[in-house]
Amino acid sequence: MYDFDKLFEEHILKKGHVCEDELSELYDEWYVAYCEKLGASPRDKINSLSDAELVAELVDECRSGSPSYAVMENLERRAPVQLLVDLLDSENAVTVYCAAELLRNIEKPPLSKFVNMLDTDDEDLFELLVSVLKQSPDEVKDSLLEQAKTADVRKKTAIADILSGAGRDERIFALLSELFSLGDNIPLYASYLSKYGDERAAAQLYRALDTAGYADYIEIRNAIEALGGVVDDYRDFSSDPEYIALKEKKNGK
């Protein structure tokens, strides 16, 4: 392992006191300067490595803690897709996350592979996968809807988040309606229904207004209005704890 970050840290230490705004310039200087431990400049050393060797360097760095910027930057530029896809099956969580992050930044990430990784317990990886899949909801909707049939609420919610940006499909509308009907996390599920944009959702949103607390009422009203509906504020919230707390906060109490 070359540990490029450690070599850069050594370069900084030789400079003495360094301000944060000087780091970028120092990095550029270090990257092209001859390094005795490498027998070349970091740039030349990395350029001499094959894709497989550079991926192996990434794996070693991830096992020891975190990857270096130099390795990540060059792998993103080279985009050795299949080598990175293979890393998604690694037992090392850092390696998997770094591979997924690099694949996210290429023109066409492996969407089907990302779909099949949604059962991960790693929250950072989970959020990364969802953010990628949200960019191409129509391409993954069939496989996601199939998984939704047996998914827990956490995964169903992620699937709903992804597919709320997809085109019209009765299965998606049914999923969004199902989650909203649970009565949990009303603001979130209301936002998915409004984003999806099917005006039929207004009927269940209107019904939910009758029993919603003040905070949920506001979010439901916003969702209805986003769908083109109109809400007359017919309910008196003067004794609602959420309304009272919000009013006191606004008044600085």
Side-chain angles (χ1 to χ4, degrees):
M1 185 175 72
Y2 298 107
D3 200 344
F4 291 97
D5 273 357
K6 184 177 180 181
L7 293 173
F8 179 49
E9 289 174 7
E10 292 174 357
H11 179 74
I12 294 175
L13 289 173
K14 291 178 182 177
K15 297 290 183 178
H17 179 71
V18 174
C19 298
E20 188 173 346
D21 57 5
E22 296 179 283
L23 288 177
S24 178
E25 183 178 341
L26 281 174
Y27 180 86
D28 292 340
E29 172 190 293
W30 163 81
Y31 191 60
V32 297
Y34 179 82
C35 174
E36 186 174 347
K37 290 184 177 180
L38 294 174
S41 68
R43 180 186 62 185
D44 290 342
K45 172 55 71 174
I46 286 176
N47 287 342
S48 74
L49 300 177
S50 67
D51 288 351
E53 290 171 329
L54 193 56
V55 167
E57 173 67 18
L58 173 69
V59 171
D60 284 344
E61 291 182 355
C62 288
R63 285 173 180 165
S64 68
S66 61
S68 63
Y69 174 77
V71 170
M72 290 287 285
E73 179 188 39
N74 278 275
L75 281 173
E76 182 175 335
R77 177 175 53 80
R78 294 191 193 187
V81 175
Q82 190 53 55
L83 290 173
L84 294 173
V85 169
D86 291 343
L87 292 186
L88 297 176
D89 295 319
S90 171
E91 295 182 0
N92 181 276
V94 179
T95 299
V96 174
Y97 184 87
C98 289
E101 184 175 30
L102 288 166
L103 287 165
R104 173 178 61 180
N105 295 331
I106 68 173
E107 184 175 351
K108 187 68 176 177
L111 298 178
S112 60
K113 183 70 174 178
F114 280 13
V115 166
N116 292 329
M117 294 170 64
L118 282 175
D119 287 320
T120 179
D121 293 325
D122 185 322
E123 283 300 320
D124 290 335
L125 177 61
F126 185 74
E127 291 178 10
L128 186 154
L129 297 172
V130 171
S131 71
V132 173
L133 296 173
K134 285 173 71 173
Q135 303 304 310
S136 307
D138 289 298
E139 293 183 47
V140 295
K141 72 175 183 178
D142 288 332
S143 53
L144 285 177
L145 287 166
E146 184 63 31
Q147 290 195 22
K149 294 177 182 178
T150 57
D152 58 18
V153 173
R154 170 182 177 265
K155 187 174 178 182
K156 272 189 177 182
T157 299
I159 292 173
D161 185 14
I162 295 164
L163 297 183
S164 63
R168 293 293 175 268
D169 189 306
E170 286 299 315
R171 298 170 297 172
I172 297 175
F173 183 69
L175 173 63
L176 299 179
S177 298
E178 173 198 337
L179 289 170
F180 183 79
S181 69
L182 294 177
D184 298 324
N185 212 338
I186 290 293
L188 180 65
Y189 297 137
S191 72
Y192 292 166
L193 284 168
S194 65
K195 180 181 177 182
Y196 189 60
D198 192 316
E199 295 177 357
R200 292 176 299 168
Q204 65 188 121
L205 290 168
Y206 274 118
R207 289 194 298 271
L209 287 173
D210 292 336
T211 56
Y214 180 72
D216 286 353
Y217 179 92
I218 296 301
E219 294 302 326
I220 296 169
R221 184 185 68 185
N222 291 341
I224 291 172
E225 292 176 346
L227 291 170
V230 177
V231 176
D232 294 324
D233 289 328
Y234 62 94
R235 291 184 56 190
D236 178 10
F237 287 100
S238 59
S239 61
D240 183 285
E242 293 175 345
Y243 176 80
I244 294 171
L246 182 61
K247 187 175 181 181
E248 289 179 347
K249 185 177 180 180
K250 285 184 177 180
N251 293 333
K253 294 183 178 179

